[in-house]
Structures are given as structure tokens and as C-alpha cells.
Amino acid sequence: MNLTDDEQRMLDGGDGPAVAAAMDLLVRYGDVLGAERLVDTDNVCGANIFNAAQRRLAGGTADDVFAQISLDSPGGFEIPRMRAHSCQLIAPMDTVEWKTQGTPEPVHDAIVDSESYSGRHGINLMNTCTPYQVGNVPARGEHCAWMESSAVIYINSILGAMTNVEGRESAAAAMITGKIPYWGYHLPENRRATVHVEVDVDVETNRDWGLLGYAVGKVAGETVPVITGIRSQPNLVKLKHFGAAAATSGGVEMYHIPGVTAEAQTLEQALGDGEKPLSVRYGKDEKAAAYARLNVTADDSDVDLVMIGCPHASLDQIRDVCDLLGDRKVAPGTALWVFTPRAIRLMAESSGYGDRLRAAGGVLMSDTCPAIGRFVPDGTRVIVTDSAKQAHYLPAIMKVQGWFGDTAECVDAAVTGRWRGALS
């Protein structure tokens, strides 16, 4: 790998041992990837919260914990403030509803301590899988280093920023150095579409966009798809559901919808000068197949948990849940949990949505989700969600049955305690 003078100085220890360890990690990482150089970044989203078990395993100071689990280094040195603008992604615990979540007090205390450590080191505690909803909105062409597949696909595609799906270690090293290997989606030639998905059914609702994303991810794998045939303008929430689903069923990190996404106004611009793309159709049969795959784990119609907010819910989504509830109450024996970023929860509380949700028997949570935190109410056997991503992962993670449907069906399940959804 070709290093600049300042990069070589960092690697040689000129900026201290922590920076040298971070640069060593990035050089080794870049060599494996075949990157010829590094690129500057001033926008990094990572996950550095450590728990009590990790603290015990490291057997040292908080600096040692960070070094061992985020820098692949034995530590023994002080971690400096982050050089790049950095933020914490979704975390394992809600600092307000942690008892509802079932978090033991020692675990709570260790996570709070870890958050404090991150804040002191210049990491913004956004605590969300959707930083773009709460202030981190990278510009088109900006080189970033982000973890979280649903966030990466959003900023690559909708905003035209440039990032790969980073890991905990590479993101932490980028925070400390302001560098990341120049490969993958940082290179313009790798951002062209190679799969063309022709849509010939209406895609209108959030559920429609989740199903389309789940089908696209399955056929695109780790390639870049371009989608045509969309007849309506999607909003942030629909695109959020689509991207999360495509990144879940496949490894899609970028896509094009001509006239919607940032880098292609036409199909020809999306394809560039590459080879003729693989062309596939998305119609009624493909939609039905995606729906069946997402509901394959469920048989029982009695519902224990309704989970909304994956990726984290916007303020409008929280309002919609409250409006769908109206004066109705959550059924006995059923829980309704809505997840959102910490900053949006503050706005939701100010707008009265938190009180409305609690009056109905629901809970407004932030910072985490059941799949990341690995928690559901005790005795949960059946969950319902409007998230293709959560329907895909949570049954395997928590050994539950999972139903997928639209938000209205989810709210109906919460107030009746029964799943009555169907593909219309």
C-alpha cells in the first residue's frame, strides 16, 4: 500500500501509540482488500460501546478495552480524542427503558460508563441505525466509513456518499486516524449497476417497499441493482425499508432508481459502459414469494410482541402508530414496543406521542432494538413487525415465530392480540 508522508508518520508512531495501532490495522486491512492507498474521511459511524463482560475480558482500563475490542491491539496506551467526526451507531441498551428491556443493573452501569467514555473521546452518542435521521447527513461524493448495512445502503444510494460496510475495528481505526482504505464503493467504477430489476406491479406502501427490497436483495446478492418501473415518488421511510430489506436478503450496499437516487437520472447512467446487465422481473409472483419467505417461521396467530421501528422509526412513523391506535388499548398479554433514535424520542415526547403510546399500553424505546440487544418480553413466542429486516433476523436470534405485515396490521395485532394480516 502506498502511504503519504503523514500516513507513514502515523504508522511509525509519530502521533502516538494508539494512532500507530489504528494505522497498522488499516494497512493490514487494506492489504487484504487489495487497496492501493488510503483516503481521507471525516465522517465515521461505528459501534464502540463495551459491556461488563468485555471489560472483564480485557482485564484493564477502559483504554485497554477500546484497544482490544476496537483496534485489535493489546493496549497499554491512552486512547486520544477521535480525529474524524464520529458517531455511535445503535447500542445494546435503552438508557431509559432498560428495566423494561430486562437489563441487569451491572450491565446497565457498564454500558452507561462506556457511553461516557465514548462521549469524552469525541464520539457523538446518536445511538441509532439511522444517523441520517438525526443530523449526520453526508454530502454527495463524501468519503465516509460507516458500519450498519441499512445505513450504508441509504447514504450510498440516496445521498451519493461513498462508503463500504465497515466493521467495528476498521471504523474505530478510521475515527482515530481520519483514514480508510480506498476500495469498493469509494471507487466510482464500482458504483455502476450490473443487475436490472424491472417492476411491473404497484409499489406504494411501506410493506410494498420492504417486499421489493427483500426480493431485490435475493437476486442481486452483493452486486449493484438498478430498479425501473416505479410509478410513484418514495419518501425517506419507504426508501429506508427498501434498503434495509435489500441489505438483509442479500449483501446490497448500493442501488439505483433513476430519478430518485443520487447518481443516475436514467437507466443508461446507472449502467455506465459496463457489460449488459442481468435482467429480472418483479411482479405479483415475486412479491408473493417474498411475502411467503418473510412469514415462513410463523404458525401461531396469538401475538406476544409487536415491534415497530427497524430501521429506527421517524417522527412521522411514531405519529402514525398513535393515530392507528386511536383510543384503543394494547391487549393483555401482548406488548407493543416502538423504537426510534434518542433525539427523535425527545421530539416525540414533546409532541405528545410518548404519552399517547403509553396511554394505550405501548412503550417508546430508543438507542437499541431486540435484534441488537437480544431481548424480548419474557415468554415471547410470537412477534409481529412491519420490518422485513427484523422479520428475517429476530426469529433466528431469539428463537421466536415472526409475522411480517404493514403497520396497520401490526397495530391491529397489538390491540387484538391476534395476527390477522394477509397479502392483498
Side-chain angles (χ1 to χ4, degrees), residues 250-267:
V252 180
E253 298 179 30
M254 182 175 181
Y255 64 90
H256 300 281
I257 302 176
V260 173
T261 50
E263 297 184 10
Q265 291 299 308
T266 65
L267 174 63

Side-chain angles (χ1 to χ4, degrees), residues 86-123:
S86 305
C87 80
Q88 166 68 32
L89 288 164
I90 193 167
M93 184 189 74
D94 180 347
T95 55
V96 174
E97 296 287 354
W98 59 277
K99 290 183 179 179
T100 303
Q101 182 182 327
T103 303
E105 189 166 355
V107 175
H108 163 271
D109 293 346
I111 291 174
V112 170
D113 180 58
S114 178
E115 284 198 351
S116 176
Y117 175 87
S118 291
R120 293 195 307 272
H121 285 77
I123 300 174

Side-chain angles (χ1 to χ4, degrees), residues 46-378:
N48 294 295
I49 300 298
F50 50 80
N51 57 36
Q54 290 168 322
R55 182 80 181 249
R56 288 193 302 270
L57 187 63
T61 66
D63 286 339
D64 292 330
V65 180
F66 188 99
Q68 291 178 32
I69 67 174
S70 293
L71 293 180
D72 187 35
S73 169
F77 46 72
E78 182 179 351
I79 301 296
R81 282 181 61 84
M82 303 300 114
R83 181 171 306 204
H85 285 95
S86 305
C87 80
Q88 166 68 32
L89 288 164
I90 193 167
M93 184 189 74
D94 180 347
T95 55
V96 174
E97 296 287 354
W98 59 277
K99 290 183 179 179
T100 303
Q101 182 182 327
T103 303
E105 189 166 355
V107 175
H108 163 271
D109 293 346
I111 291 174
V112 170
D113 180 58
S114 178
E115 284 198 351
S116 176
Y117 175 87
S118 291
R120 293 195 307 272
H121 285 77
I123 300 174
N124 297 319
L125 297 173
M126 292 184 171
N127 286 29
T128 178
C129 52
T130 59
Y132 52 86
Q133 291 195 124
V134 290
N136 190 341
V137 185
R140 178 174 176 174
E142 181 178 357
H143 290 284
C144 302
W146 281 33
M147 296 173 62
E148 171 50 45
S149 60
S150 72
V152 164
I153 192 173
Y154 187 92
I155 68 167
N156 270 335
S157 309
I158 306 307
L159 303 180
M162 296 180 166
T163 185
N164 300 298
V165 176
E166 297 297 342
R168 178 173 188 146
E169 297 83 359
S170 58
M175 290 179 178
I176 290 175
T177 63
K179 306 284 183 176
I180 198 70
Y182 184 65
W183 76 290
Y185 292 103
H186 292 287
L187 280 65
E189 60 268 26
N190 291 337
R191 300 171 69 85
R192 299 169 184 155
T194 56
V195 176
H196 178 200
V197 180
E198 300 178 80
V199 176
D200 61 10
V201 292
D202 289 337
V203 183
E204 299 285 349
T205 67
N206 293 347
R207 185 183 69 172
D208 289 343
W209 280 93
L211 289 171
L212 175 60
Y214 202 69
V216 167
K218 186 173 176 60
V219 298
E222 296 183 355
T223 64
V224 178
V226 55
I227 298 94
T228 59
I230 301 297
R231 295 186 283 271
S232 61
Q233 177 67 40
N235 61 15
L236 180 152
V237 174
K238 292 178 172 62
L239 294 169
K240 181 176 62 172
H241 275 293
F242 172 85
T248 295
S249 60
V252 180
E253 298 179 30
M254 182 175 181
Y255 64 90
H256 300 281
I257 302 176
V260 173
T261 50
E263 297 184 10
Q265 291 299 308
T266 65
L267 174 63
E268 291 71 25
Q269 288 178 350
L271 297 172
D273 298 325
E275 297 179 3
K276 185 177 180 180
L278 170 68
S279 184
V280 297
R281 174 182 174 274
Y282 179 81
K284 290 183 178 179
D285 291 344
E286 291 74 20
K287 180 178 180 180
Y291 184 83
R293 288 197 303 274
L294 282 166
N295 287 285
V296 72
T297 65
D299 294 308
D300 297 335
S301 57
D302 290 335
V303 175
D304 302 302
L305 170 65
V306 175
M307 183 272 170
I308 294 172
C310 174
H312 274 166
S314 68
L315 190 63
D316 286 346
Q317 286 178 277
I318 300 170
R319 176 206 60 197
D320 290 346
V321 170
C322 291
D323 289 347
L324 286 166
L325 281 167
D327 295 328
R328 298 182 295 172
K329 307 292 185 183
V330 175
T334 302
L336 171 60
W337 288 354
V338 180
F339 293 82
T340 194
R342 188 181 299 189
I344 290 180
R345 178 162 66 179
L346 290 174
M347 291 187 284
E349 294 290 359
S350 298
S351 301
Y353 302 143
D355 287 340
R356 289 174 63 185
L357 193 59
R358 285 186 289 274
V363 181
L364 183 61
M365 293 191 179
S366 73
D367 299 3
T368 189
C369 77
I372 293 295
R374 297 177 181 265
F375 62 92
V376 292
D378 289 342

